[in-house]
Amino acid sequence: MNSFYHHGFYHSILTLITFAPLAGAILLALLPRRDELIRRTAMVISAVTFVLSLHLPAYFVSSRPGFQFEVDIPWIASPNIHYHLGVDGISLWLVVLTTFLTPLCVLVSWKSVHERVKEFFVLLLVLETAMIGVFLALDLFLFYFFWEAVLIPMALLIGMYGHERRVYAAVKFFLYTAVASVFMLAAIIWLYAQTGSFDYATIQQAIQREQIPNIWSAAEWLFLGFFVAFAVKVPLFPLHTWLPDAHVEAPTAGSVLLAGVLLKMGTYGLLRFNVGLFPAQSREHAGWIAALAIIGIIYGALVAMVQPNLKKLVAYSSVSHLGFVVLGIFSFTQAGADGAVYQMLNHGVSTGALFMLVGMLYERRHTFEIRDFGGLATPMPAYAMLFLVITLSSIGLPLLNGFIGEFLVLLGAFQAKTAWGVLAATGVIWSACYMLWMYQRVFYGQVTAEVNRSVPDLDLRERVSLWPLALAALVMGVAPLYWMRAIDPAVQAVLAPMMPALLQVLTP
């Protein structure tokens, strides 16, 4: 049994997790157009994928460096492309986050999607496979394949199931991210031409050992090629303009996965490929990248504060929160990078839940305008309570998840440069201001619009979709070590090539 595990299931678990949703999507496509059957099948498939993914943290050995559960099979002989998957402490929890959010997205879409139900859930499951593949691929061609594969189902979800300006938002999202990806493709092809391999570890070793001709003159452009693709996806200021439109126009499930997972593909790429492959160039460019991250933190918070639209407010808060992640990565400190990875997970939980909550309100009132609400805590006490918990987790209240990530990022920023820490800390204050002010206007006081007096509170399905996120926010805030045990060694491995420079920064 033990031998079977190590030689069979151990090496196939990543394939099962990656392609179970795609197999489910094919099954959905073959089923008759009975909406309830489609919804239930999508729920079972996404739940099974989540259960399968729990195998990873259960059997992941935190003390063992490098990638685990690896599968490496030649795929295309010429060019030399391998089906190479693996997971380390950075990608581990991002995969679980993806499989955790998807069944919740199926639940929140249960009643809100009425037309082309089959196509909606097929797209959702195809998107899940592509997102998981991005975090697991260790062959650069395979990574690019999954990276681009994410664009199509997400653009279709926005364009087919979004709100009034959905086509404009879908085209803008597609063009921004597709054009930026071309720079990364050019960098990948150049690396293959020089090394004859798309393998991540092979290319990393070739760069570190200076086995690639002219690598130091080309590394600058290669770094920027990867950086542009990832910075647009984050999105880093000033490349963020596609994000508010995509969020506001997307259906609730699209917004949840866009904020919860897709934006993390950018920050994951910055850490894995920019810092992992080009540590010297990363260090050289850290100053202006950190400056853009800090501008994003403050700018996103200030713009969120003046938003009259609930969904846009949450969207701009993402620009601010993701700025913390980028700052943590480019602080090149252990605390900052640990905090950045943890903040990726926190943002997925908290902002994913906020988009669910806002979507539930839209289903009742068909408006996102803050002025249309007021005093909602009276007719919707359960909704108000869960909204408050998630709001507090988003602004980083101690004992909730947001606190740990922001604290570690700020600690890393202060260790790198005091000015970075001081400026970024103002973002925490702005965040508390705009979120609590929004909460006060929507929930406190008298019911300002007569129609809001009869707005129904959360039903059982909605509570079931929200409670796991609220519970995750609490557990991640109380017991961060459970996640950090895997994250910390992986981050150390990424930062290892920079340790001399790191010591130089930390030594007075």
Side-chain angles (χ1 to χ4, degrees):
M1 184 69 183
N2 195 40
S3 174
F4 165 75
Y5 174 76
H6 283 288
H7 293 93
F9 194 66
Y10 182 90
H11 295 289
S12 58
I13 182 64
L14 296 186
T15 300
L16 284 173
I17 295 168
T18 306
F19 291 103
L22 183 63
I26 294 169
L27 174 63
L28 284 188
L30 297 174
L31 288 176
R33 286 186 175 278
R34 287 162 49 196
D35 292 350
E36 199 64 15
L37 174 66
I38 297 292
R39 292 186 183 103
R40 289 176 185 273
T41 309
M43 187 68 222
V44 169
I45 292 163
S46 57
V48 167
T49 307
F50 173 59
V51 171
L52 281 172
S53 73
L54 293 180
H55 182 90
L56 300 182
Y59 288 90
F60 189 84
V61 182
S62 302
S63 58
R64 189 192 305 168
F67 294 97
Q68 299 180 32
F69 306 102
E70 272 189 83
V71 53
D72 187 358
I73 302 169
W75 180 20
I76 301 174
S78 181
N80 182 21
I81 300 171
H82 281 226
Y83 174 73
H84 189 184
L85 303 180
V87 65
D88 68 351
I90 297 171
S91 51
L92 169 71
W93 293 115
L94 290 169
V95 171
V96 176
L97 176 70
T98 307
T99 60
F100 174 60
L101 287 177
T102 305
L104 302 181
C105 287
V106 173
L107 268 182
V108 295
S109 307
W110 207 274
K111 289 184 178 174
S112 61
V113 177
H114 308 289
E115 297 179 356
R116 292 173 294 196
V117 174
K118 177 192 281 194
E119 287 83 351
F120 179 87
F121 287 107
V122 166
L123 289 171
L124 201 65
L125 293 177
V126 171
L127 178 63
E128 185 181 13
T129 282
M131 292 187 298
I132 293 171
V134 165
F135 296 129
L136 294 180
L138 294 179
D139 180 284
L140 267 59
F141 178 89
L142 196 61
F143 172 80
Y144 188 78
F145 173 82
F146 283 124
W147 179 273
E148 291 294 287
V150 165
L151 293 184
I152 298 167
M154 178 52 81
L156 290 175
L157 282 172
I158 298 172
M160 292 170 63
Y161 299 91
H163 302 291
E164 289 77 11
R165 297 171 69 240
R166 56 185 179 273
V167 175
Y168 166 76
V171 171
K172 193 174 180 181
F173 160 76
F174 189 89
L175 287 179
Y176 262 69
T177 45
V179 170
S181 301
V182 171
F183 295 97
M184 176 168 66
L185 177 63
I188 290 173
I189 291 173
W190 191 91
L191 285 168
Y192 176 77
Q194 299 300 316
T195 62
S197 174
F198 286 110
D199 184 69
Y200 176 82
T202 303
I203 291 173
Q204 188 182 42
Q205 287 173 9
I207 293 173
Q208 289 173 355
R209 295 172 183 173
E210 302 184 25
Q211 295 169 335
I212 302 176
N214 303 319
I215 182 60
W216 295 118
S217 57
E220 193 79 8
W221 294 106
L222 296 172
F223 172 85
L224 291 174
F226 280 100
F227 178 79
V228 169
F230 299 140
V232 168
K233 188 74 92 181
V234 169
L236 186 66
F237 176 90
L239 304 170
H240 63 282
T241 56
W242 63 268
L243 180 71
D245 290 318
H247 268 316
V248 171
E249 300 304 324
T252 299
S255 293
V256 172
L257 291 178
L258 190 59
V261 183
L262 259 72
L263 307 188
K264 313 306 174 309
M265 287 164 46
T267 49
Y268 169 78
L270 288 174
L271 188 56
R272 175 76 75 215
F273 293 93
N274 279 102
V275 178
L277 294 180
F278 308 103
Q281 289 69 32
S282 299
R283 195 173 63 244
E284 186 183 334
H285 292 284
W288 63 266
I289 295 173
L292 290 180
I294 292 168
I295 292 172
I297 291 170
I298 299 172
Y299 167 83
L302 292 177
V303 176
M305 189 171 293
V306 298
Q307 286 306 313
N309 181 302
L310 262 177
K311 214 173 181 188
K312 266 195 174 175
L313 184 151
V314 180
Y316 275 105
S317 78
S318 289
V319 176
S320 185
H321 288 302
L322 270 296
F324 276 101
V325 177
V326 176
L327 179 64
I329 292 170
F330 285 90
S331 71
F332 298 125
T333 61
Q334 183 73 42
D338 280 352
V341 177
Y342 208 65
Q343 190 65 0
M344 291 185 212
L345 307 176
N346 294 333
H347 183 262
V349 170
S350 300
T351 307
L354 280 174
F355 276 119
M356 281 189 191
L357 286 157
V358 172
M360 290 168 186
L361 201 52
Y362 183 85
E363 286 176 29
R364 288 159 168 78
R365 291 280 286 103
H366 301 288
T367 174
F368 291 123
E369 298 301 314
I370 294 174
R371 67 169 181 268
D372 292 333
F373 304 110
L376 282 186
T378 302
M380 305 177 73
Y383 179 83
M385 186 271 289
L386 278 168
F387 207 121
L388 181 61
V389 171
I390 299 301
T391 297
L392 295 176
S393 81
S394 179
I395 64 178
L397 189 79
L399 298 182
L400 290 172
N401 55 342
F403 174 75
I404 305 295
E406 287 186 354
F407 176 80
L408 289 173
V409 168
L410 288 175
L411 179 61
F414 271 104
Q415 287 176 332
K417 275 191 181 176
T418 304
W420 291 2
V422 171
L423 290 169
T426 64
V428 179
I429 300 167
W430 294 120
S431 166
C433 289
Y434 68 75
M435 288 301 292
L436 293 177
W437 187 36
M438 175 271 290
Y439 190 85
Q440 181 261 324
R441 286 180 287 166
V442 172
F443 291 97
Y444 286 162
Q446 298 296 316
V447 178
T448 51
E450 201 57 34
V451 66
N452 289 335
R453 292 187 188 282
S454 56
V455 174
D457 204 354
L458 297 175
D459 60 27
L460 179 62
R461 176 187 56 83
E462 291 168 327
R463 290 176 197 234
V464 170
S465 57
L466 286 169
W467 269 107
L469 291 163
L471 193 62
L474 178 62
V475 175
M476 289 179 73
V478 173
L481 281 179
Y482 181 71
W483 284 264
M484 283 298 177
R485 272 201 295 266
I487 293 171
D488 194 66
V491 165
Q492 276 186 31
V494 174
L495 293 182
M498 303 187 193
M499 286 315 289
L502 178 58
L503 291 173
Q504 194 178 356
V505 170
L506 297 177
T507 304

